[in-house]
Amino acid sequence: NNSSNMSFFGGGQQQPTQPDPVFAAQTEMEMYNVLFNKLAQTCFTKCASRKHKESDLHLGEMSCVDRCVSKYMEAQEKVGVVLQKANEKQAAQMEQMQNMQGAMGGN
């Protein structure tokens, strides 16, 4: 029966705290896809000259794209660090709350 999933002694096999690795990988790929598309659109709009009809980028355009991509990735990295710290803080708060509830409830 399904009541064993409620056991505090590990009677249930399901572990809701374990992330699904396939879902995590798909989510990460979608995230990188969105990042790449935004980066490409932003840097192309900023750096590619519409005046020229050549297929190759000019030196100035290439330098602009290099700087744009570098700055974009640096900003994404900083945002990632902030989000990681926020997630760690939230996880610590949740753990602290669970510990307090366990101590108070006697479970």
Side-chain angles (χ1 to χ4, degrees):
N1 76 33
N2 287 341
S3 65
S4 66
N5 290 339
M6 302 290 278
S7 172
F8 288 104
F9 300 103
Q13 294 291 349
Q14 295 178 351
Q15 299 267 338
T17 57
Q18 295 292 327
D20 177 13
V22 174
F23 177 76
Q26 287 174 332
T27 302
E28 188 174 9
M29 286 300 297
E30 289 171 12
M31 232 173 47
Y32 280 115
N33 190 31
V34 168
L35 170 68
F36 176 78
N37 287 334
K38 284 184 178 182
L39 182 144
Q41 181 180 6
T42 299
C43 293
F44 180 83
T45 300
K46 180 178 177 169
C47 299
S49 174
R50 303 253 191 258
K51 296 181 255 177
H52 305 288
K53 301 293 183 202
E54 292 119 25
S55 59
D56 295 334
L57 292 173
H58 292 267
L59 182 59
E61 291 171 325
M62 285 188 281
S63 297
C64 179
V65 169
D66 285 344
R67 286 191 308 272
C68 181
V69 169
S70 178
K71 287 179 181 179
Y72 201 97
M73 294 305 290
E74 186 178 331
Q76 285 297 119
E77 184 179 338
K78 288 180 180 180
V79 168
V81 168
V82 169
L83 289 176
Q84 179 67 30
K85 287 180 181 177
N87 286 340
E88 289 170 2
K89 184 177 180 180
Q90 184 179 20
Q93 288 173 342
M94 291 291 288
E95 185 178 342
Q96 185 180 18
M97 241 174 33
Q98 289 172 349
N99 290 341
M100 286 174 34
Q101 286 174 346
M104 293 173 82
N107 293 340

